[in-house]
Amino acid sequence: MMRTISQWYKHFGVDHIFYDIKIQQNGKDREISKIDFDSLEKLRDFIMKIDICGLKKIARNTVFSDGDPSSEIMIIGEAPGEDEDIQGKPFVGQSGQLLNNMLRSVGIDRKNVYVSNIIFWRPPGNRNPSSEEIAKCMPYVKCHIKLINPKVILLLGGVAAKSIFNTNDSVTSMRGKNMEYEGIKTVITFHPAYLLRSPEQKTLAFLDMIKLKKIIL
Ligand code: URA
C-alpha cells in the first residue's frame, strides 16, 4: 500500500501538524515542509526514530541535544563529530571543551544552556553536511527553536549561521551584526573547531561571548 508522508509519520506513532511554507533561496521561492510538533518530547521521539536526511543509518547515535531546555540560551552548532556520535550528545569532544571554556570565560555554566546542532547525525568522516542534508533537517531545527523559545541563540560557525539565515554570507561578515531570527536575538561566532585551528581569532570570539552575556543580564 502506498502511504503519504503524513501516513508514514502516523504509522511510526508520531502525532504532529504538517503544513507548507515558502522560503527564499537564491532569489527564488522554494516550497519546503514546515513540521510543527507541540512538545519537545514529540520532536525528540520523532528525530530518534526517523532517518530524515539519510545519515541516521550510518551513524552510531542520534545526537538531539544536551542541557537545560528552559535555558535562555540555545546554542546551535553544525553536526556531531566522532565523540558526539559515540556518546549521543552534542559538543562533548575537543570542540565541546573549548565551548565550555568560552562559556565559562563570561561566567556561564555549560549545564545551564541548551545545546543542539543543525544536523542530528555525524556525516561520515566528519565531512561537511551537504546542502540537501541541511535542507531536510532545517524544518525540524526551526521547530526545535520554536519549542525552546530562547532569549538568545548562539550560532557556532558558518553552517549554523548560514542555515538559520538562509544566506551564503560568510561567518566573518555576519559576526558582530545584530541579527534576529523570528524575533529572537542571535549571536554569531566562530565554530570552536575553527578556533582550535586559528587561536588568533579567540579574541573576537571572546567579544561575541561578552555580547551573549549582556543579552541575558
Ligand atoms: N561540532 C559541532 O558542530 N557539533 C558538535 O556537536 C560537535 C562538534
Side-chain angles (χ1 to χ4, degrees):
M1 182 187 65
M2 279 288 286
R3 285 191 165 97
T4 64
I5 292 176
S6 283
Q7 284 167 338
W8 272 114
Y9 290 166
K10 287 218 170 70
H11 178 69
F12 282 102
V14 177
D15 185 20
H16 70 291
I17 308 158
F18 187 37
Y19 55 99
D20 288 334
I21 54 164
K22 276 186 176 173
I23 61 164
Q24 274 269 322
Q25 201 180 43
N26 304 327
K28 287 186 189 152
D29 274 349
R30 195 164 66 87
E31 294 280 348
I32 65 158
S33 325
K34 182 172 183 186
I35 288 116
D36 217 356
F37 292 84
D38 59 13
S39 76
L40 190 59
E41 291 66 34
K42 284 181 187 169
L43 174 65
R44 179 194 291 269
D45 284 355
F46 181 82
I47 298 293
M48 300 307 279
K49 277 184 198 158
I50 313 281
D51 195 355
I52 295 164
C53 64
L55 290 172
K56 183 178 167 65
K57 59 181 170 297
I58 42 179
R60 290 186 184 94
N61 274 303
T62 298
V63 178
F64 184 70
S65 69
D66 183 40
D68 178 4
S70 66
S71 176
E72 292 188 314
I73 303 174
M74 180 171 189
I75 300 178
I76 303 181
E78 180 179 321
E82 189 174 17
D83 294 310
E84 291 75 19
D85 184 42
I86 293 169
Q87 295 189 39
K89 276 187 184 182
F91 285 99
V92 290
Q94 262 197 307
S95 295
Q97 295 308 311
L98 180 54
L99 173 63
N100 296 352
N101 290 340
M102 288 163 70
L103 293 167
R104 202 174 299 125
S105 72
V106 289
I108 300 170
D109 194 317
R110 159 78 184 250
K111 67 176 183 307
N112 296 329
V113 300
Y114 186 78
V115 188
S116 188
N117 281 304
I118 296 289
I119 305 281
F120 302 101
W121 300 275
R122 181 192 183 208
N126 287 355
R127 67 158 169 76
N128 290 337
S130 69
S131 48
E132 200 184 14
E133 287 158 355
I134 293 172
K136 286 184 174 159
C137 287
M138 275 316 287
Y140 300 92
V141 174
K142 290 179 175 181
C143 179
H144 202 176
I145 295 171
K146 203 167 125 192
L147 290 166
I148 296 300
N149 191 24
K151 186 170 184 187
V152 56
I153 306 170
L154 177 66
L155 295 168
L156 299 175
V159 168
K162 289 176 191 191
S163 306
I164 291 297
F165 289 109
N166 193 30
T167 174
N168 284 324
D169 293 351
S170 69
V171 66
T172 310
S173 70
M174 281 193 273
R175 70 154 295 282
K177 291 190 181 154
N178 294 327
M179 295 172 73
E180 290 196 355
Y181 168 77
E182 301 270 322
I184 302 169
K185 289 188 169 65
T186 67
V187 175
I188 298 169
T189 194
F190 299 115
H191 194 286
Y194 169 75
L195 292 173
L196 288 169
R197 297 191 302 272
S198 308
E200 70 282 359
Q201 301 283 29
K202 282 185 182 173
T203 313
L204 289 178
F206 181 58
L207 296 178
D208 298 332
M209 299 312 292
I210 292 173
K211 183 174 172 185
L212 176 78
K213 177 75 179 195
K214 280 187 181 159
I215 292 172
I216 54 150
L217 275 180

